[in-house]
């Protein structure tokens, strides 16, 4: 689902209502407003035209059950209409309305994106009706059934939803600064502060440039100390990742009140994480787990990160897959023999897991392109 920073996230079904209420729904309002403005600037289409187009899309899905964007475009000619984006600017260009209409309907929960057509690497997804479209006027059928796989859950109040999302984030990836959370969620700073207060977050002082250096609680009501921050998220490469503690002595971060006990430093570990992995993209300030001098090698111009090589809580390189399936990598720092051997083992494990599948990142970086060349 579309979530934080207008990015597609995979979340547990139990968390989807919180993401929808706290983040996706407000973004959907902005997306619809922007679409109507762009249509007014670059075409003769108005709100009534958009509403009728959406009705036809929902009616088609009511009959079909599910369909790809291409199939919907063939059945609903309005989706093939175009408009001029950014007339009179450097960005001026002709765009189709299809992706914008489907995005708005998806963000509003009226349609849902299902499994891809073909293999799991395909970008051709099937769409079906969402929980908010149990009946579609003018569909030609008495009722438009929502697929059984789409479970309707009760809505969550926005403030409650924001608190739940912050609680989940801090439990898995804390500590975080206020700036980190504002960047990751895309919320107003007042909403971030309200969510932190709702979960009883404890302010701590972030300190130390490396693993195990610790954090000091700055709350007058607690004398507990906490060790390095950690991320328990699992990537598509089947590797667990745990991050080292924050650098930047004196910066204020936040932890959950039941997460202040010291955490032993883990044994050294290696991992190869995919492009745009949430571990690498989880914080705004990343100097504590990546060398600032490596930024040009790790990111494209829009800030999308390449497939990364990790050693002991830091990004130390980039990996890629060649056309013949070989997993190759390049280290950006001297990490020592133990790390080189461990990273080699992980590369072999990843190659065995991927097998005959060929994986190409959606957003490619110069170094990843270079490494993947035959």
């Amino acid at each position: 689902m579309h979530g934080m920073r207008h990015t597609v996230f995979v979340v547990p079904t139990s968390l989807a209502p919180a993401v929808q209420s706290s983040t996706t729904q407000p973004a959907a309002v902005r997306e619809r407003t922007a679409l109507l403005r762009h249509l007014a600037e670059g075409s003769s289409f108005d709100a009534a035209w958009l509403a009728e187009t959406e009705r036809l899309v929902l009616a088609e899905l009511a009959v079909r059950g599910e369909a790809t964007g291409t199939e919907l475009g063939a059945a609903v000619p309005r989706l093939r209409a175009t408009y001029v984006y950014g007339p009179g600017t450097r960005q001026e260009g002709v765009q189709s309305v299809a992706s914008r209409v489907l995005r708005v309907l998806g963000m509003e929960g009226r349609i849902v994106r299902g499994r891809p057509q073909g293999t799991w690497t395909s970008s051709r997804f099937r769409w079906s009706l969402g929980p908010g479209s149990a009946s579609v006027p003018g569909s030609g059928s008495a009722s438009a059934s929502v697929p059984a796989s789409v479970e309707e859950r009760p809505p969550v109040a926005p403030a409650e939803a924001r608190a739940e999302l912050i609680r989940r984030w801090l439990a898995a990836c804390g500590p975080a600064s206020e700036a980190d959370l504002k960047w990751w969620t895309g919320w107003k700073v007042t909403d971030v502060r309200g969510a932190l207060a709702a979960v009883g977050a404890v302010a701590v002082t972030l300190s130390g440039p490396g693993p195990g250096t610790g954090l000091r609680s700055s709350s007058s009501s607690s004398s507990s100390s906490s060790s390095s921050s950690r991320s328990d998220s699992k990537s598509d490469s089947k590797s667990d990742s745990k991050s080292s503690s924050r650098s930047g002595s004196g910066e204020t971060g936040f932890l959950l009140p039941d997460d202040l006990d010291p955490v032993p430093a883990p044994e050294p570990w290696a991992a190869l994480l995919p492009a745009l992995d949430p571990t690498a993209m989880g914080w705004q300030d990343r100097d504590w787990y990546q060398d600032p001098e490596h930024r040009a090698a790790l990111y494209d111009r829009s800030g999308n990160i390449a497939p990364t090589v990790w050693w002991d809580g830091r990004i130390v390189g980039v990996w890629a897959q060649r056309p013949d399936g070989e997993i190759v990598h390049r280290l950006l720092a001297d990490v020592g023999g133990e790390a080189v051997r461990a990273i080699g083992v992980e590369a072999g494990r990843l190659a065995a897991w991927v097998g005959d599948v060929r994986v190409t990142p959606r957003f490619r970086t110069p170094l990843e392109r270079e490494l993947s060349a035959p």
Side-chain angles (χ1 to χ4, degrees):
M1 63 185 300
H2 271 86
M4 292 57 71
R5 305 186 321 280
H6 270 274
T7 302
V8 175
F9 279 76
V10 177
V11 301
T13 54
S14 60
L15 185 59
V19 175
Q20 180 71 26
S21 178
S22 68
T23 308
T24 309
Q25 196 59 45
V29 173
R30 296 192 296 270
E31 184 69 22
R32 176 173 290 279
T33 300
L35 174 56
L36 287 170
R37 184 178 70 253
H38 293 156
L39 291 178
E41 293 172 348
S43 74
S44 60
F45 307 139
D46 57 12
W49 183 91
L50 178 59
E52 176 62 11
T53 302
E54 292 171 334
R55 187 194 68 78
L56 292 172
V57 170
L58 297 176
E60 187 65 25
L61 286 175
V63 174
R64 287 175 174 262
E66 62 178 17
T68 65
T70 300
E71 290 168 342
L72 287 172
V76 182
R78 284 172 176 244
L79 286 179
R80 302 198 298 273
T82 60
Y83 67 100
V84 178
Y85 176 82
T89 70
R90 292 182 179 180
Q91 290 77 37
E92 180 175 332
V94 177
Q95 295 188 2
S96 168
V97 303
S99 61
R100 297 287 299 274
V101 171
L102 295 179
R103 183 190 307 169
V104 168
L105 289 173
M107 293 176 72
E108 292 175 345
R110 293 201 280 167
I111 63 175
V112 294
R113 196 173 79 169
R115 292 184 177 277
Q117 190 177 50
T119 71
W120 60 270
T121 61
S122 171
S123 60
R124 290 169 54 87
F125 292 91
R126 298 179 177 91
W127 295 93
S128 59
L129 292 177
S133 301
S135 62
V136 182
S139 66
S141 61
S143 175
S145 298
V146 176
S149 60
V150 180
E151 182 179 355
E152 184 168 9
R153 293 176 177 269
V156 182
E160 180 183 348
R162 289 191 293 267
E164 175 63 11
L165 192 60
I166 288 296
R167 186 189 67 78
R168 297 271 194 127
W169 196 100
L170 289 177
C173 305
S177 70
E178 188 178 273
D180 285 330
L181 293 171
K182 181 181 182 299
W183 174 84
W184 187 78
T185 59
W187 302 342
K188 298 176 182 178
V189 67
T190 52
D191 289 336
V192 172
R193 290 172 180 171
L196 288 170
V199 300
V202 177
V204 295
T205 300
L206 306 177
S207 63
T213 52
L215 302 162
R216 299 186 305 278
S217 170
S218 60
S219 169
S220 59
S221 62
S222 173
S223 59
S224 301
S225 63
S226 172
S227 70
S228 60
S229 66
R230 58 200 184 282
S231 170
D232 298 325
S233 60
K234 293 185 178 180
S235 74
D236 290 339
S237 65
K238 305 294 186 180
S239 298
D240 293 348
S241 60
K242 291 179 177 285
S243 57
S244 62
S245 65
R246 291 289 294 266
S247 62
S249 178
E251 184 181 6
T252 298
F254 295 91
L255 283 170
L256 293 175
D258 59 355
D259 193 27
L260 298 174
D261 293 335
V263 178
E267 293 295 323
W269 55 271
L272 274 66
L273 302 186
L276 288 179
D277 185 84
T279 301
M281 298 289 290
W283 294 264
Q284 182 182 42
D285 173 19
R286 302 172 191 174
D287 291 354
W288 56 282
Y289 61 86
Q290 71 176 41
D291 189 326
E293 295 183 359
H294 297 162
R295 183 173 181 82
L298 295 173
Y299 298 88
D300 68 9
R301 293 182 179 179
S302 299
N304 300 302
I305 198 166
T308 49
V309 178
W310 291 68
W311 172 248
D312 204 18
R314 292 187 64 83
I315 298 175
V316 297
V318 172
W319 68 270
Q321 185 185 40
R322 288 180 173 163
D324 63 0
E326 181 185 6
I327 301 295
V328 295
H329 65 273
R330 179 178 299 172
L331 298 179
L332 303 174
D334 182 1
V335 292
E338 179 186 5
V340 169
R341 290 188 292 273
I343 291 168
V345 170
E346 285 301 307
R349 190 165 72 93
L350 176 60
W353 181 74
V354 172
D356 294 333
V357 176
R358 299 295 176 263
V359 181
T360 303
R362 173 63 62 87
F363 303 104
R364 308 194 68 183
T365 62
L367 181 53
E368 184 274 329
R369 286 182 180 274
E370 178 186 338
L371 290 174
S372 63

